[in-house]
Amino acid sequence: MKKIAITGSTGLIGSRIIGLLKNEFRFIEILQTDTDITNRKQTAAFIKKIEFDLLLHLAGFTDVDGAENNREITQKINVDGTKNVFDAVLEKHKQFIYISTDFVFDGQKPPYFEDSPPHPLSFYAQTKYEGEKIVNPLSNGKAMIVRLSYPYRKDFAPKRDFVRNIKTALEQKKPLQMVTDSLITPTFIDDIAHGLAHLMNNFSPEIFHLVGGDSMSPFEAGRLVAKIFNLDDSLIRPVTYRQYYENKAPRPQFSDIRSKKNHFQPMNGFQEGLKKML
Ligand SMILES: NC(=O)c1ccc[n+]([C@@H]2O[C@H](COP(=O)([O-])OP(=O)(O)OC[C@H]3O[C@@H](n4cnc5c(N)ncnc54)[C@H](OP(=O)(O)O)[C@@H]3O)[C@@H](O)[C@H]2O)c1
């Protein structure tokens, strides 16, 4: 059984990866309580002593709006932390997968494939792109980059994804403003986990996109959530991209992200993914 060291295993995506794949791989969790990845010495020492074949690096500062006002810690975790973990893995000559985001693109010229040029807009996105450059599979041939987009899953108490934000607001009969002139690509986290299983078994130092089967506006996505969960869609009000993000970190406006390379894992469209959550 392949041994996978994993950072960020307590998070939204990492915890589901372990939940779904624990019979297929042996996971060695690198918990923040054992190792703060911003501490280079501690990280090197911990990674030196554990045994693994591949390290899956998910840990990150993931609050996109929060990152704008917490630049130092965002930089420390997403950039220095990634370098600390990657360098320790290089020392051991093991495989490395870096989890990145569709936010490395600016959303002006969709669709975005693995070879599209990144141009991050927000501080969070800049740090994720810095991480990509540190592990750069094209220059050093040691790492894989896997970009994800708008992940959602069934249950996860510690952190709400965007689907659960919409669902909870509608259940509480709260009105919601949702953007009409923008595109997102929602991705069912179970598909990400199964896609990663393939990539962990077939490692190669390249960039892959593991993203949902279709793209739509957040407004349409909100209405689909209401429809599938039988909630009142009249609470969802249209708003423009410009109005909605006026005082928030900028997001790529048209994040229609796709893959040229994913011939191994079928990715659910949003409606199918939501039905699987029922
Ligand atoms: N969620 C999204 O919308 C999204 C979209 C695209 C890509 N991604 C990428 O996917 C990855 C996972 O995202 P997620 O949403 O699952 O994350 P998350 O739920 O916010 O969890 C973050 C994880 O990182 C760990 N962590 C944070 N700071 C750390 C530190 N200093 N040392 C060690 N561990 C630390 C956390 O540990 P604690 O539990 O101890 O705090 C937690 O396990 C991230 O790299 C993110 O950039 C996320």
Side-chain angles (χ1 to χ4, degrees):
M1 204 183 256
K2 198 161 181 174
K3 295 195 273 301
I4 310 295
I6 175 170
T7 67
S9 62
T10 54
L12 175 76
I13 301 166
S15 58
R16 185 64 181 153
I17 290 172
I18 294 189
L20 275 176
L21 305 181
K22 60 181 181 293
N23 297 327
E24 237 173 287
F25 299 95
R26 210 179 105 217
F27 286 100
I28 302 102
E29 293 182 62
I30 304 179
L31 300 171
Q32 187 170 185
T33 42
D34 299 326
T35 310
D36 181 334
I37 61 165
T38 65
N39 183 328
R40 187 168 172 85
K41 263 193 177 165
Q42 193 186 35
T43 304
F46 191 88
I47 290 177
K48 193 173 178 187
K49 76 171 190 236
I50 57 174
E51 227 188 90
F52 61 93
D53 304 300
L54 179 150
L55 189 143
L56 183 57
H57 179 47
L58 287 130
F61 185 100
T62 60
D63 174 356
V64 180
D65 292 311
E68 298 295 322
N69 300 321
N70 295 285
R71 292 186 172 218
E72 200 178 324
I73 187 66
T74 308
Q75 173 86 18
K76 268 194 175 157
I77 296 174
N78 292 355
V79 182
D80 305 347
T82 295
K83 183 160 173 41
N84 294 341
V85 177
F86 183 54
D87 285 348
V89 172
L90 279 185
E91 279 281 311
K92 291 183 75 138
H93 306 286
K94 301 296 178 191
Q95 298 167 345
F96 185 89
I97 298 183
Y98 173 68
I99 299 298
S100 191
T101 167
D102 60 325
F103 283 12
V104 298
F105 300 117
D106 63 14
Q108 292 306 304
K109 283 193 189 147
Y112 292 95
F113 293 99
E114 284 88 349
D115 55 357
S116 302
H119 179 224
L121 301 176
S122 65
F123 189 72
Y124 162 77
Q126 279 171 34
T127 61
K128 291 300 291 184
Y129 183 44
E130 284 299 310
E132 289 198 4
K133 288 191 280 188
I134 287 167
V135 308
N136 191 349
L138 304 176
S139 74
N140 67 36
K142 306 281 185 208
M144 177 190 290
I145 293 173
V146 180
R147 296 195 186 112
L148 314 178
S149 169
Y150 285 84
Y152 63 94
R153 64 184 272 191
K154 190 161 186 273
D155 299 305
F156 184 62
K159 179 177 148 185
R160 278 192 205 150
D161 53 54
F162 83 102
V163 169
R164 244 154 0 99
N165 278 334
I166 299 171
K167 191 167 165 270
T168 307
L170 296 181
E171 281 164 353
Q172 295 170 353
K173 314 258 181 264
K174 287 191 187 144
L176 270 179
Q177 289 195 313
M178 301 217 64
V179 178
T180 49
D181 56 342
S182 158
L183 287 174
I184 58 171
T185 308
T187 312
F188 191 43
I189 292 180
D190 293 16
D191 294 338
I192 294 173
H194 294 303
L196 277 172
H198 174 92
L199 292 172
M200 292 191 296
N201 280 326
N202 298 275
F203 180 86
S204 81
E206 296 172 59
I207 301 176
F208 288 91
H209 289 176
L210 277 180
V211 294
D214 51 15
S215 306
M216 68 212 62
S217 71
F219 183 77
E220 289 170 295
R223 286 171 64 105
L224 261 181
V225 173
K227 182 177 139 194
I228 300 294
F229 293 101
N230 208 10
L231 296 161
D232 179 6
D233 70 0
S234 70
L235 291 162
I236 304 173
R237 318 267 156 80
V239 65
T240 64
Y241 171 86
R242 187 178 275 208
Q243 286 167 327
Y244 189 80
Y245 287 113
E246 202 173 4
N247 297 311
K248 295 189 171 80
R251 269 71 165 175
Q253 186 168 1
F254 298 103
S255 193
D256 172 358
I257 178 165
R258 304 181 196 182
S259 177
K260 279 182 188 169
K261 295 178 172 182
N262 179 4
H263 307 297
F264 45 90
Q265 174 61 40
M267 303 298 284
N268 281 288
F270 194 39
Q271 177 148 305
E272 295 76 53
L274 290 176
K275 284 187 180 158
K276 291 194 172 160
M277 284 173 70
L278 285 174

